Amino acid sequence: MPVLDLGLIFRTSPIDPDLIRGKSQPLFPSGVAEGYWLKQASMSPYAGSMYHGSPLLLSLLGPLTVQRIKGQPSHLFCSLVFVIADILSAMLLRGIGHKLQMAYGLNARLLGLLKSPRDKEGILPSGDIAALVYLWNPFTIVCCVGLSTSPIENMAVILALNGAVTRRVPLAAFGLVMATHLSLYPAILTIPVIFLLGYGLDAPPLKLFLQTRNVESDNRSSTSSASKQAKLKPTAHLPFLWRTVVHFVFWVLVWSLCVLVLCGLSLSKHGGLEEMFKRTYGFILSIEDLSPNIGVFWYFFAEVFDFFRSFFLIVFHVNILFMLLPLAIRLKHRPCFLAFIYLAISSLLKSYPSVGDSALYLSLWALFVNELAVDMKFSFFLFCGYLGVSLLSPVMHNLWIWRGTGNANFYFGNAIGYACFQIVFVVESVSAMLNHDRALKKCNPNHQEVKN
Amino acid sequence: KKKMKNLTLVVMLLCYSFASSSGDTTIHTNNWAVLVCTSRFWFNYRHMANTLSLYRTVKRLGIPDERIILMLADDMACNSRNQYPAQVFNNENHQINLYGDNVEVDYRGYEVTVENFLRVLTGRHENAVPRSKRLLSDEGSHILLYMTGHGGDEFLKFQDAEELQSHDLADAVKQMKEKRRFKELLIMVDTCQAATLFNQLQSPGVLAIGSSLKGENSYSHHLDSDIGVSVVDRFTYYTLAFFERLNIYDNASLNRSYDPRQLMSTAYYRTDLYQPHLSEVPVTNFFGSVMETVHTDSAYHAFSNRISNSKIKSDTPFNQLSEQDVKEDLRNTHNQNDELKTEKQKCPYSEMRADLHEKLKKIENVDTMVNLSIAVMILVVMVSSSLL
């Protein structure tokens, strides 16, 4: 906890946000301020070209961008809100990690890998590590200081995951609806959330439990339903808790209705819901804004012919969609990890990537240190890669735009390098997790043949 | 009795003629400047410097390039004899470069002819002549006409090939007056025997200033040993010395006298055609762009574009017209809205929606309502997640 306090102090120190905003990353600076000003001037907040977010966010954060206290740096209230959002996210991550860690320990004991409670000390406290990684990640700090809306989006995603992990269905539904409302891509998280609610927490594949005959009776509710099922009936199918999922769908509908009604209300004078969908989701899907960011699409769409533009838009968005199904099939026994992979892929392939997305999936990665830290290859290479890219990116941007001694290719090369490192990271994580499962199978001391 | 009748007739005629000659109810709306340098060749450097100095002064005091017609032979700045390429000075201290980035010459080189000059003054151009080369003045314009070069008894030499005679000038000015192309005209001429050029002028509203009388020469001011030729004439030099001390807000009047000993000639003012007293006329009436503003209380309408072409003389009747037009348009749109509303009322669902919309419009603070609802939502989330 004292470490968390240090994090808080570090953020509220008067770092000049303009310095960060002046740098490359399009952290959507002052978009909220412009949207709020337009709203106050009785115009649609989407009339300018800077604000493409939710009207609810505007009505919450807008007044904060204007209020000032004498002697304090401007946007103090906004920064405070983002700091609070980050701290909440860290605490929620800690909760998720705690649950996962307990499930890990339990599964290990059920599989007979741990003989006595003393062995549990070998398990790393993934919750604390994930929370610390999130708070101290330079990407998170940059997002918070640079006043982008990423901390709030990240908080919504983590809220959804926490609700799903701790089986609080309304919370999970609320988090998912808010995350999808703020940026479109967390919609793909419905699959892992439904798996979390239906199948339960991350666990080794069912086969391992079936192969284990020495199963101790354990009635703790944090057990995955897989091991319970294996105790009761030696079938090869996991039960799916339909009731919880239907409950979840109901709450999703309730929250979506609320959000849509509120948005329609706040935009009733300026074009209504259609305008909002066109300007928020339409903006994300059609990639109208080609200003440089840490992703790779802006460069491509700046030179593609108009005739092929819709084709390539469809290709790039389907690129995310067609990875969903195979991963879901392969990793359905580990829904939390599946959520992490989905987030990593979407932050790689989304229309306007930013460092806030990487902050999120890097801290989610830390939730799985117990499984991944041993097996992951290239970890040092990836670490150096991320460090180098994040240091060079503002330099290249400066050379290109402010000094004029470089050109777009400098910055774009950096972005391509970053994308490559992300891809290697995702692939390595998945293979490390699958290797871990295979290793579990091998070192299972009670290995016996399954009789079909 | 016949004598009395004749007398009264004559008096009435006189009054009428006075009235017609002085009857100028137009207001001064804009200023124009026509600056002509009639010489070419390197040794006439000072004439181009004269004209460019006047150009600079007139621009500095507020007349924009669109309302300046500058006629120059323009062969000094890039002359191979010019030690300071693309620079023209009017003083040996070289402090001001007159040929800066924003010099717009309208007639250059061999276009500076008597024919073009007279076409500019009278406005009789061929169809293809662009707007920047036309003097588009109207009856509210004050025009400054400045000419410099070599002149003589009732003539002005144009580019060593032709001459402008005093009656040509007088005819052109008379045509301008007939066509109502100026309200007041100030002609300044800096040549030898300049006053003779005005002998034939008869149009009212013209003030003429010449640098020398018949039989006198106008002299250059000083020689620049660096450039090798004289760089400015005396008359223009002392005129500029007067103007350099002014800015656009000054009230200096036209009534200033030139010292004949400094000029080495006698400056001549022809004021008989010009009604206002010189001491009451501010210099900026001709040399700058400061004008009297007339304040009206009527609002600005987009319709006024239609009306402004017909030379507004007084503001109120036209503005009343335009307000009436606005009211009529508003009434029309209201009628259309009512018709649309009656059609929609047939469907009950849209009735409900319309009612909702009206209620929503009445709610003034939508934002606080939205914020409250969000807070309620969050409360519900927390309560339900702790209960369930």
Side-chain angles (χ1 to χ4, degrees), chain A residues 374-434:
Chain A
V374 184
D375 292 332
M376 240 178 110
K377 305 170 208 165
F378 309 133
S379 49
F380 182 65
F381 170 68
L382 285 173
F383 175 71
C384 293
Y386 268 86
L387 192 66
V389 163
S390 41
L391 287 175
L392 277 179
S393 161
V395 171
M396 297 302 177
H397 188 263
N398 190 352
L399 276 183
W400 172 28
I401 294 200
W402 300 112
R403 289 177 193 267
T405 53
N407 58 36
N409 297 322
F410 288 51
Y411 187 71
F412 181 61
N414 217 50
I416 285 188
Y418 183 59
C420 289
F421 284 120
Q422 283 181 308
I423 292 172
V424 170
F425 178 74
V426 168
V427 168
E428 270 314 301
S429 311
V430 174
S431 63
M433 185 57 90
L434 295 175

Side-chain angles (χ1 to χ4, degrees), chain B residues 96-141:
Chain B
I96 307 173
N97 173 22
L98 299 169
Y99 206 72
D101 280 340
N102 53 355
V103 170
E104 284 186 23
V105 183
D106 299 301
Y107 288 85
R108 67 157 27 96
Y110 288 107
E111 290 173 355
V112 183
T113 58
V114 174
E115 179 194 343
N116 280 344
F117 172 67
L118 292 176
R119 280 186 187 275
V120 163
L121 282 187
T122 54
R124 294 168 145 207
H125 294 282
E126 316 229 315
N127 285 343
V129 170
R131 281 175 71 89
S132 58
K133 284 184 165 176
R134 294 180 190 234
L135 178 64
L136 299 166
S137 54
D138 54 31
E139 59 186 14
S141 307

Side-chain angles (χ1 to χ4, degrees), chain B residues 38 110-117 150 155-165:
Chain B
T38 60
Y110 288 107
E111 290 173 355
V112 183
T113 58
V114 174
E115 179 194 343
N116 280 344
F117 172 67
H150 290 292
F155 72 90
L156 187 58
K157 193 165 79 159
F158 259 71
Q159 300 221 341
D160 243 16
E162 359 167 63
E163 51 188 41
L164 173 77
Q165 302 197 326

Side-chain angles (χ1 to χ4, degrees), chain B residues 232-247:
Chain B
V232 72
D233 278 336
R234 285 182 181 256
F235 177 73
T236 310
Y237 179 83
Y238 288 110
T239 312
L240 288 175
F242 168 68
F243 276 111
E244 283 296 309
R245 278 176 273 141
L246 294 182
N247 60 37

Side-chain angles (χ1 to χ4, degrees), chain A residues 39-40 56 59-60 168 170-171 174 178 247 251 255 258-259 262 265-266 268-269, chain B residues 357 360-361 363-364 366-367 369-371 373-374 377-378 380-381 384-386 388:
Chain A
K39 199 121 192 268
Q40 295 302 95
L56 303 180
S59 54
L60 275 179
R168 293 187 194 135
L171 190 70
F174 180 70
M178 288 312 290
H247 202 197
W251 275 106
W255 293 126
C258 288
V259 163
L262 283 178
L265 198 69
S266 61
S268 55
K269 292 178 194 158
Chain B
H357 271 293
L360 285 175
K361 278 178 197 166
I363 301 173
E364 283 180 3
V366 184
D367 271 342
M369 231 183 87
V370 169
N371 285 347
S373 336
I374 294 176
M377 266 170 68
I378 295 177
V380 170
V381 165
S384 58
S385 55
S386 55
L388 292 167

